[in-house]
Amino acid sequence: ATKYKPFPPINLPNRKWPSRVITKAPRWLATDLRDGNQSLPDPMNFQEKKEYFDLLCKVGYKEIEVAFPSASQIDFDFTRYAVENAPADVAIQVLSPCREALIRRTIESLKGAKKAIVHIYLAASPLFRDVVFNTSEEQYLSMATKSAKLVRELTKDNPDAQDTQWQFEFSPETFSDTPLDFSLRVCEEVKKAWEPTVENPIIFNLPATVEMSTPNVFADQVEYISTNISEREKVCISLHCHNDRGCAVAASELGQMAGADRIEGCLFGNGERTGNVDLVTLGLNLFTQGIDPKIDFSNLEKMVEVSERLNKIPVHPRSPYGGSLVVCAFSGSHQDAIKKGFARRNNAADPDSLPWQIPYLPLDPGDVGRTYEAVIRVNSQSGKGGAAWIILRKLELDLPRGLQVNFSKHVQDEAEFKDRELLSDEITDLFERKYFLAEENKYPY
Ligand code: KIV
Ligand code: ZN
C-alpha cells in the first residue's frame, strides 16, 4: 500500500494538519453471519453460511460473529461447525441477550472452541428501557452485571472450560441514543463484574444501533467513553455503526480517531435496515491511504460474487470499490485524462516505484484483481480516446490522431444505432470491418 499517499499536501503554517488521522488498521469483527444474516429476506442456509464463513477466514478476518445460537437450531448447529472448523487463529463470536437460559445455551454452543468471544447485549437508552423493557437504571445495571458474572462463571472461571481462550464483549445496545453518564456507569459496573486484564481486555461495543446524529457527535460520544473509562488498558473499545443516515463509514472512521480499537461490520454494508458499516469500504479506505488493512482484497470480484449469491442481494454498481461501475469511465474527458495518466506511468523507467496517480482513479484496479480493460468503456458519450484505448489494448495498434477522430465517428454512430454501450469485441469488430474489410474504406483518411 506504500504506493498510496495518506493525504494531499497542504501548506498551513503554524497549524497541525490534518488534526487527526488513522494510523493503523483496527481489530475487525465481521458480523455478516449474524447481523447481516438476520436482516436478509431469505437467510442463508447451513451450506451457504459455511461458504461465507470460509470466505471471511480466507480474506483474513480473525474475529467472526457467526450466529445467535439461542435463537434457532440452525444457528446453534452452525456455531458448532465454526467451532470445529475455524482456523486456530480465528475467534468465534456469538451473540446472546442478557437472559440466563439463553446465555447458558449460547455458551454450550461454544464448547471446545480454541478462541471464543461471548457477546451479550442489553438496550440502554431511555426509549428502550421505558417503552420496550420497562426497567429502571438500577434494574438495568443489575441485569447487565448478573449476566456478566454468569458468563464469567461459565467460561473463564469454569475449570471444565479452560481449553478455550475466552473473551467477553458487552454491548449497551442503542448506545448512540443513551445519556453518556449512564453508558459510562454501565461499562464501569460490567467491567467490575468481569475483571478484565491487560492481556485479555473486556470488549465494550458501542453500537449506533440506529444512527442518530452527524458522525462527529457519535465520535464525541466514543471519545467520552474512551477517555473516561477507568483502567483503559484493560478495555477494547469496539464500534458497531448502522447506516441509517448514510454516515456509518464516516462515523466509524471518526470513531477510530476518537479512540476506538475495533470495528464491527459486514461486507458491502449488509445488515439491519440500511445496513451495518461496510467493511470493504473501511478496509480499502485505509489501503488507499497507504495503511495495510490486514485484509486481502486482491480478489474483490470474488468477494462481490459470494456476497451477492449468498445474501441474494446485489452489490450496487456504484458501491465504493466493489461496484461494477466504479472503475469505469464513459465520458470523453475522463477517458482522455485516464489515458494520459496511464501513458505517463507506462513511459516511466520504473512504474511500480511511482505513487499511484491516475486521474479519476483513486485505486489501482490491479490491486483488487480487476483488469485495466474495464477502466474505459465506450458508449455514445465517449470521445476518440476511449475507442483508441480499446484498439491499443486489444489489437496493440496505437492509432494516429487522424484515425482516432475518424474511427470515433463510426463508434458514435454504432452506439447511437444500438442505443447502448459497445462491448470491446464490438469495437474491434467495427474497426476491422471499417478499415480492413470494407472496400470503400481502403483509404480511410
Ligand atoms: O445494532 C446493534 O446494536 C446490535 C447489537 C446486538 C450489538 O446488533
Ligand atoms: Zn447491529
Side-chain angles (χ1 to χ4, degrees), residues 34-35 95 119 121 171 173 205 207 209 240 242:
R34 197 281 295 172
D35 212 327
L95 180 69
H119 178 192
Y121 72 101
S171 287
E173 197 195 4
N205 186 42
T209 304
H240 178 113
H242 283 270

Side-chain angles (χ1 to χ4, degrees), residues 137 178-187 224-225:
E137 288 191 352
T178 301
L180 279 169
D181 53 349
F182 184 59
S183 295
L184 185 63
R185 203 169 147 218
V186 168
C187 291
Y224 180 83
I225 302 294

Side-chain angles (χ1 to χ4, degrees), residues 284-299:
L284 284 167
N285 279 357
L286 288 179
F287 185 76
T288 53
Q289 300 240 300
I291 297 167
D292 180 0
K294 307 264 168 62
I295 301 295
D296 179 0
F297 291 109
S298 63
N299 194 349

